[in-house]
Amino acid sequence: AKASDPAWSDTVAYYYANILIFEENFDELFERMDFALAANPGDAWTAFEAGWYHAMFGDENRAIELLRSVETLPDSEKFSMPNCSPAIEIAWAHRKAGEESAYQGLADRCAQLLREQRSSSIQYFELDYLSARISALSGDTQRALSSLADAVDKGWREWWTENDPLLQQLRGEPEY
Protein backbone atom coordinates (compact mmCIF):
# COMPACT_ATOMS: atom_id res chain seq x y z
CA ALA A 1 0.00 0.00 0.00
CA LYS A 2 2.81 2.42 0.82
CA ALA A 3 4.47 1.81 -2.55
CA SER A 4 1.40 3.17 -4.33
CA ASP A 5 1.08 6.21 -2.04
CA PRO A 6 2.46 9.30 -3.88
CA ALA A 7 3.34 11.05 -0.60
CA TRP A 8 5.35 8.01 0.51
CA SER A 9 7.10 7.79 -2.86
CA ASP A 10 7.97 11.51 -2.75
CA THR A 11 9.36 11.15 0.77
CA VAL A 12 11.50 8.15 -0.17
CA ALA A 13 12.78 9.99 -3.26
CA TYR A 14 13.63 13.08 -1.20
CA TYR A 15 15.56 11.09 1.42
CA TYR A 16 17.00 8.45 -0.90
CA ALA A 17 20.60 9.64 -0.46
CA ASN A 18 20.20 9.34 3.31
CA ILE A 19 18.74 5.86 2.92
CA LEU A 20 21.75 4.84 0.84
CA ILE A 21 24.08 6.27 3.48
CA PHE A 22 22.33 4.42 6.30
CA GLU A 23 22.57 1.23 4.24
CA GLU A 24 26.26 2.08 3.59
CA ASN A 25 25.60 1.73 -0.13
CA PHE A 26 28.15 4.35 -1.11
CA ASP A 27 28.68 3.05 -4.63
CA GLU A 28 25.07 3.74 -5.53
CA LEU A 29 25.13 7.04 -3.62
CA PHE A 30 28.05 8.32 -5.68
CA GLU A 31 26.60 6.98 -8.92
CA ARG A 32 23.45 8.99 -8.17
CA MET A 33 25.55 12.05 -7.29
CA ASP A 34 27.51 11.74 -10.56
CA PHE A 35 24.22 11.47 -12.46
CA ALA A 36 22.83 14.53 -10.67
CA LEU A 37 26.00 16.50 -11.44
CA ALA A 38 25.83 15.51 -15.12
CA ALA A 39 22.12 16.36 -15.28
CA ASN A 40 22.63 19.72 -13.56
CA PRO A 41 25.94 21.13 -14.80
CA GLY A 42 26.93 24.27 -12.99
CA ASP A 43 24.32 23.86 -10.25
CA ALA A 44 26.13 24.88 -7.09
CA TRP A 45 23.75 23.15 -4.69
CA THR A 46 24.05 19.84 -6.52
CA ALA A 47 27.83 20.22 -6.39
CA PHE A 48 27.65 21.06 -2.69
CA GLU A 49 25.56 17.98 -1.89
CA ALA A 50 27.88 15.70 -3.87
CA GLY A 51 30.95 17.34 -2.34
CA TRP A 52 29.58 17.03 1.17
CA TYR A 53 28.81 13.32 0.75
CA HIS A 54 32.29 12.76 -0.68
CA ALA A 55 33.81 14.63 2.26
CA MET A 56 32.04 12.35 4.72
CA PHE A 57 32.05 9.00 2.92
CA GLY A 58 33.92 9.12 -0.36
CA ASP A 59 36.87 10.59 -2.17
CA GLU A 60 38.38 13.52 -0.27
CA ASN A 61 40.00 14.95 -3.41
CA ARG A 62 36.65 14.90 -5.22
CA ALA A 63 35.07 16.56 -2.16
CA ILE A 64 37.65 19.33 -2.25
CA GLU A 65 37.12 19.89 -5.97
CA LEU A 66 33.34 20.00 -5.69
CA LEU A 67 33.20 22.16 -2.57
CA ARG A 68 35.64 24.68 -4.03
CA SER A 69 33.38 24.92 -7.10
CA VAL A 70 30.54 26.13 -4.86
CA GLU A 71 32.44 29.32 -4.11
CA THR A 72 30.58 30.97 -7.00
CA LEU A 73 27.44 31.23 -4.90
CA PRO A 74 26.48 34.76 -3.88
CA ASP A 75 27.48 35.65 -0.32
CA SER A 76 23.82 35.78 0.70
CA GLU A 77 23.61 32.04 0.02
CA LYS A 78 27.17 31.07 0.88
CA PHE A 79 27.16 32.50 4.41
CA SER A 80 23.72 31.26 5.47
CA MET A 81 23.35 31.41 9.23
CA PRO A 82 23.15 29.93 11.80
CA ASN A 83 25.40 27.29 10.18
CA CYS A 84 27.50 29.57 7.93
CA SER A 85 27.02 26.92 5.32
CA PRO A 86 28.26 26.18 2.74
CA ALA A 87 31.03 28.74 3.46
CA ILE A 88 32.50 26.74 6.35
CA GLU A 89 32.61 23.56 4.25
CA ILE A 90 34.25 25.52 1.42
CA ALA A 91 36.77 26.82 3.96
CA TRP A 92 37.56 23.22 4.95
CA ALA A 93 38.13 22.36 1.27
CA HIS A 94 40.53 25.27 0.86
CA ARG A 95 42.43 24.27 4.00
CA LYS A 96 42.71 20.68 2.75
CA ALA A 97 43.98 21.99 -0.60
CA GLY A 98 46.64 24.06 1.19
CA GLU A 99 45.00 27.36 0.22
CA GLU A 100 45.40 29.07 3.59
CA SER A 101 44.45 32.58 2.46
CA ALA A 102 41.16 31.41 0.95
CA TYR A 103 40.49 29.23 4.00
CA GLN A 104 41.23 32.06 6.42
CA GLY A 105 39.00 34.57 4.63
CA LEU A 106 35.99 32.27 4.78
CA ALA A 107 36.67 31.06 8.33
CA ASP A 108 37.13 34.64 9.57
CA ARG A 109 33.85 35.73 7.98
CA CYS A 110 32.02 32.78 9.58
CA ALA A 111 33.58 33.64 12.95
CA GLN A 112 32.50 37.27 12.53
CA LEU A 113 28.93 36.22 11.69
CA LEU A 114 28.94 33.88 14.70
CA ARG A 115 29.97 36.75 17.00
CA GLU A 116 27.29 39.01 15.50
CA GLN A 117 24.58 36.39 16.01
CA ARG A 118 25.64 35.78 19.60
CA SER A 119 25.86 39.51 20.41
CA SER A 120 22.28 39.93 19.25
CA SER A 121 21.16 37.47 21.92
CA ILE A 122 20.24 34.88 19.33
CA GLN A 123 20.93 31.45 20.77
CA TYR A 124 20.70 28.40 18.58
CA PHE A 125 22.47 25.12 19.16
CA GLU A 126 23.63 25.49 15.55
CA LEU A 127 25.77 28.43 16.68
CA ASP A 128 27.52 26.20 19.22
CA TYR A 129 28.08 23.59 16.52
CA LEU A 130 29.46 26.25 14.18
CA SER A 131 31.79 27.36 16.98
CA ALA A 132 32.96 23.75 17.38
CA ARG A 133 33.67 23.49 13.66
CA ILE A 134 35.54 26.82 13.48
CA SER A 135 37.54 25.92 16.58
CA ALA A 136 38.41 22.46 15.29
CA LEU A 137 39.53 23.85 11.95
CA SER A 138 41.73 26.42 13.69
CA GLY A 139 43.29 23.75 15.91
CA ASP A 140 41.67 24.82 19.20
CA THR A 141 40.69 21.33 20.36
CA GLN A 142 39.50 22.29 23.85
CA ARG A 143 37.23 25.08 22.61
CA ALA A 144 35.92 22.77 19.87
CA LEU A 145 35.08 20.05 22.39
CA SER A 146 33.44 22.54 24.75
CA SER A 147 31.35 24.07 21.95
CA LEU A 148 30.36 20.63 20.69
CA ALA A 149 29.28 19.63 24.20
CA ASP A 150 27.23 22.84 24.45
CA ALA A 151 25.59 22.13 21.08
CA VAL A 152 24.66 18.59 22.12
CA ASP A 153 23.42 19.76 25.54
CA LYS A 154 21.16 22.28 23.80
CA GLY A 155 19.72 19.77 21.32
CA TRP A 156 22.15 19.20 18.40
CA ARG A 157 21.33 15.74 17.05
CA GLU A 158 22.38 15.64 13.39
CA TRP A 159 23.05 12.06 12.31
CA TRP A 160 26.11 13.06 10.30
CA THR A 161 28.02 14.66 13.18
CA GLU A 162 30.22 11.63 13.77
CA ASN A 163 31.27 11.79 10.09
CA ASP A 164 31.78 15.56 9.92
CA PRO A 165 35.21 16.02 8.31
CA LEU A 166 35.51 19.46 9.91
CA LEU A 167 35.66 17.74 13.31
CA GLN A 168 38.14 15.08 12.21
CA GLN A 169 40.86 16.19 14.61
CA LEU A 170 38.53 15.62 17.56
CA ARG A 171 37.90 11.94 16.87
CA GLY A 172 40.84 10.78 18.96
CA GLU A 173 39.78 12.80 22.01
CA PRO A 174 38.05 10.85 24.80
CA GLU A 175 35.47 13.65 25.26
CA TYR A 176 34.46 13.34 21.64
Side-chain angles (χ1 to χ4, degrees), residues 1 7 9-10 15 20 30 36 59 63 96 105 120 123 135 141 157 161:
S9 297
D10 289 347
Y15 290 105
L20 293 173
F30 293 121
D59 179 342
K96 290 302 238 178
S120 68
Q123 294 301 318
S135 298
T141 300
R157 298 292 186 271
T161 302

Side-chain angles (χ1 to χ4, degrees), residues 68-128:
R68 286 168 59 220
S69 78
V70 175
E71 192 134 29
T72 60
L73 282 170
D75 283 359
S76 61
E77 293 181 45
K78 190 170 21 183
F79 292 94
S80 180
M81 292 301 284
N83 298 306
C84 203
S85 182
I88 196 67
E89 291 87 359
I90 299 167
W92 168 85
H94 282 299
R95 169 144 275 183
K96 290 302 238 178
E99 300 162 348
E100 285 300 311
S101 178
Y103 154 75
Q104 201 63 58
L106 291 165
D108 287 350
R109 176 86 186 274
C110 286
Q112 174 192 356
L113 291 169
L114 174 63
R115 286 190 299 275
E116 288 172 8
Q117 294 267 298
R118 285 196 162 148
S119 71
S120 68
S121 300
I122 296 172
Q123 294 301 318
Y124 301 110
F125 52 73
E126 292 93 344
L127 295 176
D128 294 307

Side-chain angles (χ1 to χ4, degrees), residues 42-59:
D43 182 84
W45 290 109
T46 300
F48 173 73
E49 182 179 23
W52 182 237
Y53 290 145
H54 271 290
M56 290 192 293
F57 307 109
D59 179 342

